[in-house]
Structure formats: C-alpha cells, structure tokens
Amino acid sequence: MVNLEEDEFRTYSGPNCENLHRASGAILSGPHGKPVTIDTMEQRRLIAVEFKMGGVAAFLPMPASETCDQVLGLREFWGRGGCLLREQLCTALTPADRFRVL
C-alpha cells in the first residue's frame, strides 16, 4: 500500500487498539493472524496491490513467511527503491499514470 497523502501509515493492535505502530508511507502488510486497524484518516489517497496466494514471493528478498503479522516499510527490504516508488506515484498526474508507475 502507498499513502499518497502523507508519508506515514499508522496501525493499531491489541485488545483496545492501544499499540501504535508507525511505518513509512509505502508498506507491505503481510498476512495477519490477529486484527490490525489502519488509521482511516489515511484512506483519502491510497493505491494498493493485493497479491494472490504466493504472488508476492517474486517481489521479496526473503521468504514471504517472514512478513506474517508484520507491517513493513518498502524501504526495509527494497532500500531506496521503495522510497522512489512512492515519490513517483505521488508526482504522477493522473490515476492512469499512477497505474503505469505501479
């Protein structure tokens, strides 16, 4: 997911959503076994890819199983390329341009 509004994602976990986790504005959210809440204020301008089972493996430098119950900034495993992707998506002028970048 890429937040096109601000360079941050905030997620909350725990019984009363009391645990705050902050990540950059370009993230991979792995499969979760427990509920995670995304701050709805961040849903104003968002672009995301949802992979079919096993499809994400080609894009990761580590086994996909290591992403379970994780929200990881793309920079954590793609380096500068993760940040560049967000920059290019934010500066694209039209939705069609954003899909071409993606």
Side-chain angles (χ1 to χ4, degrees):
M1 289 187 285
V2 178
N3 184 346
L4 302 172
E5 192 71 28
E6 59 183 289
D7 193 12
E8 183 177 65
F9 273 98
R10 293 177 298 278
T11 58
Y12 303 87
S13 61
N16 297 311
C17 296
E18 69 275 2
N19 301 321
L20 168 64
H21 178 260
R22 294 177 185 268
S24 69
I27 63 166
L28 169 75
S29 180
H32 283 72
K34 296 179 182 175
V36 174
T37 302
I38 297 174
D39 192 328
T40 57
M41 290 296 293
E42 297 176 342
Q43 302 300 309
R44 291 176 293 205
R45 291 187 47 215
L46 176 77
I47 191 166
V49 174
E50 186 173 325
F51 292 95
K52 291 185 178 187
M53 185 70 80
V56 73
F59 296 91
L60 297 176
M62 73 280 221
S65 60
E66 291 183 21
T67 68
C68 291
D69 295 315
Q70 302 282 331
V71 175
L72 305 167
L74 295 187
R75 185 178 195 141
E76 291 179 47
F77 55 90
W78 280 353
R80 179 79 178 124
C83 296
L84 289 175
L85 175 62
R86 183 178 180 280
E87 289 174 20
Q88 291 172 345
L89 289 167
C90 286
T91 58
L93 298 177
T94 67
D97 291 338
R98 287 188 192 98
F99 282 110
R100 277 191 284 281
V101 168
L102 200 54

